[in-house]
Amino acid sequence: GNSVTQMEGPVTLSEEAFLTINCTYTATGYPSLFWYVQYPGEGLQLLLKATKADDKGSNKGFEATYRKETTSFHLEKGSVQVSDSAVYFCALRTGNQFYFGTGTSLTVIP
Amino acid sequence: EAQVTQNPRYLITVTGKKLTVTCSQNMNHEYMSWYRQDPGLGLRQIYYSMNVEVTDKGDVPEGYKVSRKEKRNFPLILESPSPNQTSLYFCASSGDRSHNYGYTFGSGTRLTVV
């Protein structure tokens, strides 16, 4: 079946540290891949996406590359800020269904 | 402002008392969906709708009903709520048939069933 596995949190980093949140997926066919971010008390917001193999999605300094050979879509940012503290969800879409990972909580301390 | 609006934001109810959570979008989106978010389980899809009068079950539809009589509205109905339906609920919509633009999410409804 279809599923998304992302690294468990919580993750705590100092400001300006490098961030990686791992995400791997299992899917039939050729899914589209997404990262969503959820700030406290809010709904999820689309952060970035990639629709085919080797695509790189990027937004607000975050990047993720669609790796078909390793079925991965790891989220990276070179220098995190306190304002990046949130929960991050990896997701895939296949057909009319979305599948979400369990979320990774990130806290950035000054 | 383009948005998905859910009401109420918070709801405490008793077991067995029917309730409806409303969802409305102002973007003329065809596709709408309901999710529940639980600790350690992420988001799980309850129901989705491809268009007016077209609805289908997601991964966890038991105990829920939906309707899509108008394009903008997609209410979630709990006919007889139980404590295991205590959760954070999100409505989402998408206007892109391929969903390549992803979803627009509402702000969530935190439901407690006692």
Side-chain angles (χ1 to χ4, degrees), chain B residues 5 11 15 18 20 35 42 62 64 67 72-73 85 88 101:
Chain B
T5 302
L11 178 60
T15 299
K18 180 180 179 180
T20 299
Y35 287 85
E62 293 77 20
Y64 304 94
S67 70
R72 62 183 291 125
N73 295 323
Q85 293 178 297
L88 179 58
Y101 294 115

Side-chain angles (χ1 to χ4, degrees), chain A residues 32 34 36 38 41-46 49 51 89 93 95-103, chain B residues 9 31 35 37 40-43 45 48 50 59 88 90 98-103 105-107:
Chain A
S32 296
F34 303 83
Y36 282 84
Q38 184 181 30
E42 298 183 12
L44 281 71
Q45 301 173 26
L46 179 64
K49 64 178 175 71
T51 58
F89 290 88
R93 179 195 65 81
N96 292 318
Q97 296 273 70
F98 274 83
Y99 299 87
F100 287 83
T102 54
Chain B
R9 289 292 307 273
Y31 188 94
Y35 287 85
Q37 182 180 12
L41 297 176
L43 275 79
Q45 190 175 48
Y48 64 95
M50 298 292 291
D59 295 319
L88 179 58
F90 288 102
S98 67
H99 303 297
N100 282 337
Y101 294 115
Y103 278 129
F105 279 85
S107 298

Side-chain angles (χ1 to χ4, degrees), chain A residues 11-21 37 39-40 59-62 75-88 105-110:
Chain A
V11 174
T12 302
L13 295 174
S14 297
E15 204 165 23
E16 299 184 1
F18 184 85
L19 168 70
T20 300
I21 301 178
V37 58
Y39 298 102
N59 186 25
K60 299 181 181 179
F62 291 90
L75 182 69
E76 296 181 336
K77 186 175 185 182
S79 176
V80 294
Q81 305 300 312
V82 172
S83 57
D84 293 326
S85 297
V87 180
Y88 293 82
S105 174
L106 170 67
T107 300
V108 180
I109 54 178

